[in-house]
Amino acid sequence: MIENIHERTIDAPAAQVGELIDKVAVAGNSLWPSPAWPPLELDGPLAAGAAGGHGSVPYTCTAYRPGEFVEFTFAPGFMLDGTHAFEVVDKGAASSLRHVIRAETRGLSGLLGWHLAVRPLHDALLEELLDNAETAVGTPPEPYRRPMRARLLYWVSLRLGLD
């Protein structure tokens, strides 16, 4: 079982951070780290039932509470069987933005793919997204620097035309 969690306390009220996740699938939004990463795109507005994904990662929105929570379930046949979700946690004057993957890998290729390639790239994307969240509310952090492994995998994926 994979449980991959990225969380950042952000010096802004939950309502302000919640607006960011509400627009995560809107082209040019301030949260998703594009153009460095393929954008999160859906076949309609963010709502339960909207299908899409980012790059070669397919999923469907299975739960949505505006300003608080959005959950996506990976499409059948993808290397992961489970969900990933964004959640805003109210901490008074501040809040936390949390992203959690809870999934099982599918077969040996899913297990190896997750640990050797997908996880380092996923971790880099999420840390850059959390940097964007802080920047969007007016408190830019020290920018995340991708580890060497993530930089190498990113470079290879660009050369091979992989998303």
Side-chain angles (χ1 to χ4, degrees):
M1 174 67 148
I2 294 168
E3 186 173 67
N4 178 279
I5 301 170
H6 290 262
E7 184 170 4
R8 180 106 35 108
T9 298
I10 299 174
D11 191 19
Q16 188 177 4
V17 176
E19 290 175 9
L20 297 173
I21 66 167
D22 289 343
K23 297 175 184 168
V24 70
V26 174
N29 72 80
S30 58
L31 184 61
W32 195 264
S34 286
W37 301 97
L40 190 164
E41 297 175 316
L42 299 174
D43 62 2
L46 182 59
H54 64 276
S56 61
V57 182
Y59 42 77
T60 299
C61 179
T62 47
Y64 177 50
R65 290 190 311 274
E68 298 176 9
F69 180 80
V70 62
E71 175 188 75
F72 300 96
T73 298
F74 296 108
F78 185 62
M79 72 169 57
L80 299 177
D81 180 18
T83 63
H84 71 102
F86 291 99
E87 180 178 20
V88 177
V89 179
D90 190 346
K91 295 185 170 189
S95 56
S96 285
L97 179 55
R98 177 184 303 146
H99 180 271
V100 179
I101 289 181
R102 286 191 177 91
E104 297 285 341
T105 56
R106 292 182 196 255
L108 183 59
S109 63
L111 179 68
L112 292 174
W114 168 256
H115 288 290
L116 296 176
V118 174
R119 182 180 180 171
L121 292 170
H122 163 78
D123 289 348
L125 184 154
L126 260 294
E127 290 303 316
E128 291 172 25
L129 180 145
L130 293 170
D131 281 357
N132 286 352
E134 286 191 85
T135 300
V137 301
T139 57
E142 180 68 30
Y144 170 78
R145 180 159 163 76
R146 292 178 193 165
M148 180 58 76
R149 182 173 171 192
R151 289 193 309 247
L152 177 62
L153 288 167
Y154 183 83
W155 181 84
V156 168
S157 71
L158 289 177
R159 297 306 172 270
L160 296 176
L162 304 174
D163 295 320

